[in-house]
Amino acid sequence: MLNRFNTNGSGMKLTHVVCIARMPLVALLLLVVIFGAEQTSRAEAVGIDGSVLSTSVASDTSGNIFYLDTAHSQLYEVPNGGTQTQIPCCDGLATGLNKPRGVALDSQNNLYIADTGNNRIVEINSNSQASVVNLGLYRLLAPSGIAVDANNDVYIADSGNNRIVEVSAVGRQVSLADAEN
């Protein structure tokens, strides 16, 4: 289902789909980004050429694209109409990214990164200041995905703990799907 592309010669459609489903014992977070034909050169500029292990892509309200290079623990931005640049994302934090696997943006262009190897979520606000998201009593183990809904609630695929953790825009944390339930 993730690999449905319009291959009729006109290229692929640019589509952003975020689907959050709640099911007993199972939760599914799905983010699909498919580049359009008019975006082909831009997609190639992003580095989707085999040299980068990109596990997640997000775009902001201005059409800028952000993607993670998991293999090299780097975050990149491709500005709308610009050239890709590496973002020094963890200034002010004790450690840099370690095998990040998920990236998402909220409606205020705050960027969230599932920093898998460091078992944390990093937030980079619209002023480029990085911080670790406070999850209260929840301890993440290999977070592998992240999504933000229209209310700016953040959903974390906490893979190592077999659960989805929701952090509401007002700071409330709750486990939505837990393998132990």
Side-chain angles (χ1 to χ4, degrees), residues 15-26:
T15 310
H16 298 270
V17 178
V18 176
C19 174
I20 300 168
R22 296 182 190 183
M23 297 177 282
L25 302 178
V26 180

Side-chain angles (χ1 to χ4, degrees), residues 92-150:
L93 299 181
T95 59
L97 295 175
N98 183 4
K99 307 294 185 218
R101 297 191 56 87
V103 63
L105 286 129
D106 67 16
S107 64
Q108 297 170 352
N109 290 330
N110 296 309
L111 188 71
Y112 296 89
I113 301 169
D115 189 7
T116 307
N118 287 322
N119 300 313
R120 67 184 181 181
I121 302 300
V122 173
E123 177 185 358
I124 302 173
N125 68 20
S126 56
N127 295 321
S128 300
Q129 297 172 329
S131 62
V132 175
V133 173
N134 180 3
L135 295 173
L137 298 175
Y138 288 99
R139 298 291 174 252
L140 299 178
L141 181 59
S144 61
I146 193 158
V148 181
D149 69 15

Side-chain angles (χ1 to χ4, degrees), residues 1 23 29-31 52 56 92 99 122 130 149 163 168 172 177:
M1 223 178 264
M23 297 177 282
L29 291 176
L30 173 64
L31 172 64
V52 172
S56 188
K99 307 294 185 218
V122 173
D149 69 15
R163 66 182 175 193
S168 72
R172 179 182 58 89

Side-chain angles (χ1 to χ4, degrees), residues 5-177:
F5 301 107
N6 174 3
T7 57
N8 63 5
S10 65
M12 297 176 253
K13 297 285 183 192
L14 177 60
T15 310
H16 298 270
V17 178
V18 176
C19 174
I20 300 168
R22 296 182 190 183
M23 297 177 282
L25 302 178
V26 180
L28 173 66
L29 291 176
L30 173 64
L31 172 64
V32 178
V33 178
I34 304 171
F35 294 96
E38 66 279 0
Q39 301 292 328
T40 302
S41 61
R42 194 159 165 214
E44 290 168 356
V46 169
I48 303 174
D49 62 357
S51 65
V52 172
L53 173 58
S54 181
T55 57
S56 188
V57 177
S59 64
D60 67 13
T61 55
S62 299
N64 302 312
I65 296 173
F66 298 86
Y67 77 96
L68 295 168
D69 176 356
T70 299
H72 301 100
S73 298
Q74 301 294 328
L75 172 66
Y76 291 90
E77 176 183 9
V78 183
N80 192 359
T83 305
Q84 128 182 340
T85 56
Q86 181 181 341
I87 297 176
C89 66
C90 295
D91 292 344
L93 299 181
T95 59
L97 295 175
N98 183 4
K99 307 294 185 218
R101 297 191 56 87
V103 63
L105 286 129
D106 67 16
S107 64
Q108 297 170 352
N109 290 330
N110 296 309
L111 188 71
Y112 296 89
I113 301 169
D115 189 7
T116 307
N118 287 322
N119 300 313
R120 67 184 181 181
I121 302 300
V122 173
E123 177 185 358
I124 302 173
N125 68 20
S126 56
N127 295 321
S128 300
Q129 297 172 329
S131 62
V132 175
V133 173
N134 180 3
L135 295 173
L137 298 175
Y138 288 99
R139 298 291 174 252
L140 299 178
L141 181 59
S144 61
I146 193 158
V148 181
D149 69 15
N151 296 319
N152 290 331
D153 297 330
V154 178
Y155 298 87
I156 304 160
D158 187 9
S159 298
N161 289 315
N162 299 313
R163 66 182 175 193
I164 302 298
V165 175
E166 176 189 5
V167 181
S168 72
V170 295
R172 179 182 58 89
Q173 301 93 15
V174 63
S175 179
L176 297 180

